[in-house]
Amino acid sequence: MPEGLAAILAGAVPQVCPAAVAMIAVDGDVAATAATGELVRYTGADGALAAERPPVRHDSIFDLASVSKLFTTVVLLSLAEEGRLALDEPAAALVPGLDPRITPRRLLTHTAGLPPGRRVDRELPDASAAERMAAIWRTPPAHPVGGPYLYSDIGMIMAGGLAELAGGAPLDVLVRERVTEVLGLADTGYGPRDPARVAATECKAGRPGAGCVRGEVHDETSWALGGVTGHAGVFATAADLLAFGETLRRGGGPMLRPESVAELTRDQGATGAPFRHGLGVRLGDPAIVGPLSGAYGHSGFTGTSLVVDPARRLTVVLLTNAVHPVRGRDGIRELRHAVAAEALRLAT
């Protein structure tokens, strides 16, 4: 019988998610890793089993969904270090016509008053990705600017757009040059990815190709904008995401200065959320940290999460495809908590 982390994943697959990979690092060393399930289990939303169900491996690739926001944040902070933008200057300096109260800091803390989302694929079904992005830029604040906290994919899409304007390159290039190449993360980046190593996500009517989405971004708005956006679109292996989290835990070098990581993890004073908020990261989010109350990180809608606990010298990665073949499964929060609790056990 499997023990520890392997047993936790085995207890969740396939009821909570068809595939799961988890890794835990304690004081810089991998203390536990496990991989369970099948990269493709279903052929459609009706739950019919696929004839070929390739097994998950430790180096399988997953759609990170909103964990992508951490990569956008690092890119923005690296640009701020170079003086290419300032966190508290109006974003209108780069995007004329934007509400002057919107700043990079407010975008990264979800306090810009922007709505949670916008289905530009439905609003503009025949438009190009550039035309849809222009519509995103025209989205006005719908709530008080400056707080309280209101989670907004629109805000993080704008953050990615600001990075492109300040950095003079597409966001996928900036992530590659400033994060993945610097850290040697060969399996991390925006899609499309080779589907042979990628876990399938949701079966979506209207998306090209047969069966469920695989190797292309799950998020509808990111897909409508070309798949390279500030809020979603990054794919990675557990080992790569662990290395990214460990880099933050150790102070950011060589991708960020320690003072930038300190600002990233500082409570920015956003109110109205069940957690404190840093820049692009959630501090003590009860949905993902479980007993690691002092940890920070982010989760993704596909069933992913990265948790970093500097005080306990822990980094915890959980990658799943809980939206395969349809969204709405129960148990992902409990699975995240169980993995975090195992990390705490290994650290004590």
Side-chain angles (χ1 to χ4, degrees), residues 164-225:
E164 292 184 333
L165 293 169
L171 185 58
D172 56 340
V173 174
L174 295 172
V175 168
R176 183 174 68 248
E177 292 178 347
R178 294 170 179 268
V179 182
T180 62
E181 285 185 348
V182 171
L183 301 184
L185 309 182
D187 291 320
T188 299
Y190 284 92
R193 313 293 292 182
D194 175 11
R197 290 178 59 195
V198 181
T201 56
E202 194 170 5
C203 291
K204 292 175 175 287
R207 290 282 286 265
C212 296
V213 176
R214 191 180 184 200
E216 294 191 356
V217 63
H218 168 269
D219 183 90
E220 296 91 349
T221 304
S222 182
W223 180 76
L225 294 170

Side-chain angles (χ1 to χ4, degrees), residues 45-103:
D46 61 357
L49 293 176
E52 295 185 11
R53 303 200 293 273
V56 172
R57 304 184 344 172
H58 291 271
D59 65 349
S60 293
I61 296 171
F62 288 76
D63 181 337
L64 298 184
S66 284
V67 177
S68 305
K69 293 176 170 69
L70 303 185
F71 291 82
T72 303
T73 300
V74 167
V75 166
L76 272 176
L77 290 177
S78 73
L79 291 167
E81 288 180 355
E82 297 171 4
R84 297 198 185 194
L85 58 77
L87 293 178
D88 295 308
E89 75 176 2
L94 293 170
V95 186
L98 207 63
D99 188 304
R101 299 172 296 171
I102 295 175
T103 64

